[in-house]
Amino acid sequence: MYKMMPDFYEVLKVSETANFEEIKGSYKQLILQCHPDKLQQHDVADPNRRIVGEEERRSQNLSDFNAINEAWNTLKDPIKRKHYDAELLQAKFQAHNNIYAHITASDMRSIQVEGSEDRGEADGDADADKETGTVWSYAYDCRCGGQYLLDGAGDLDESPGQSGLVASDAIVECSECSLVIIVKQSPTMSE
């Protein structure tokens, strides 16, 4: 059976969308709770504190301390974090084995979606602040009757096939069930 890799976000008690400052704050708080020097100071201050299971507690605190440091060293570096996130996502999908298909972007059909873009001006006329246009999205049918939808990249007036749909492999969720597809990079895009 496939072994799940450690979830550094759980170790640091932050969400996967946490920014650097949130991760740093949580790291500082957690590391103070199980730092070996701080725990040794408590033992010196209260020598009667020795109880049954003290070695197990020390061992667990050292293990927690090392896990927190490993998580921090990975998540503080944007490049390491990006690689870790990709590995974590891949590990989750391999562990759950909910992949319906491996396809290429050319296996998906292009569909037009009428979209509007909000200009964000606050002058009271909501209709004047929006621009409508056609956005190309790409769909693949799921066995449950739902669809896997992948938004097209590029300008609003772009026609299908003119831009790179998938710059690298993408995992796309079904709109109705828990299955996913892996959209592989098209062979023409890898050049």
Side-chain angles (χ1 to χ4, degrees):
M1 171 117 195
Y2 183 81
K3 184 182 175 194
M4 283 292 289
M5 61 190 298
D7 188 336
F8 291 154
Y9 295 102
E10 283 184 19
V11 170
L12 292 179
K13 298 180 181 171
V14 295
S15 73
E16 291 182 14
T17 58
N19 64 30
F20 177 78
E21 292 302 319
E22 292 170 326
I23 294 171
K24 182 178 177 182
S26 182
Y27 164 75
K28 286 183 174 183
Q29 181 182 18
L30 291 169
I31 207 71
L32 286 175
Q33 293 174 4
C34 62
H35 195 284
D37 292 341
K38 186 164 182 104
L39 296 173
Q40 189 175 13
Q41 288 174 356
H42 287 297
D43 291 344
V44 170
D46 187 6
N48 297 328
R49 191 166 174 234
R50 303 250 181 228
I51 55 174
V52 177
E54 185 70 20
E55 281 303 313
E56 290 87 18
R57 185 184 65 82
R58 286 175 189 257
S59 176
Q60 181 62 41
N61 283 336
L62 184 58
S63 175
D64 291 347
F65 178 78
N66 290 335
I68 291 167
N69 272 322
E70 182 182 7
W72 169 244
N73 287 330
T74 300
L75 298 181
K76 72 178 180 181
D77 181 335
I79 295 171
K80 285 182 183 178
R81 182 177 180 182
K82 184 176 181 179
H83 286 131
Y84 170 78
D85 287 345
E87 290 174 7
L88 182 64
L89 185 62
Q90 185 175 5
K92 284 180 181 178
F93 284 119
Q94 286 177 348
H96 295 293
N97 200 17
N98 62 343
I99 299 172
Y100 173 57
H102 293 266
I103 65 170
T104 62
S106 61
D107 294 330
M108 299 183 86
R109 71 178 186 282
S110 58
I111 58 173
Q112 288 184 345
V113 178
E114 292 298 320
S116 64
E117 185 175 312
D118 190 359
R119 296 289 178 194
E121 296 175 18
D123 59 1
D125 190 5
D127 293 335
D129 294 341
K130 294 187 180 194
E131 180 182 306
T132 59
T134 301
V135 177
W136 288 99
S137 289
Y138 300 86
Y140 189 81
D141 293 331
C142 182
R143 68 180 181 203
C144 75
Q147 287 189 324
Y148 301 95
L149 297 174
L150 185 62
D151 291 336
D155 297 325
L156 289 173
D157 296 322
E158 189 173 55
S159 60
Q162 286 186 347
S163 74
L165 173 60
V166 181
S168 63
D169 292 358
I171 298 172
V172 183
E173 297 176 334
C174 176
S175 61
E176 298 293 324
C177 69
S178 64
L179 295 175
V180 298
I181 59 172
I182 309 262
V183 182
K184 300 278 187 187
Q185 183 175 0
S186 296
T188 58
M189 290 180 52
S190 60
E191 299 172 349

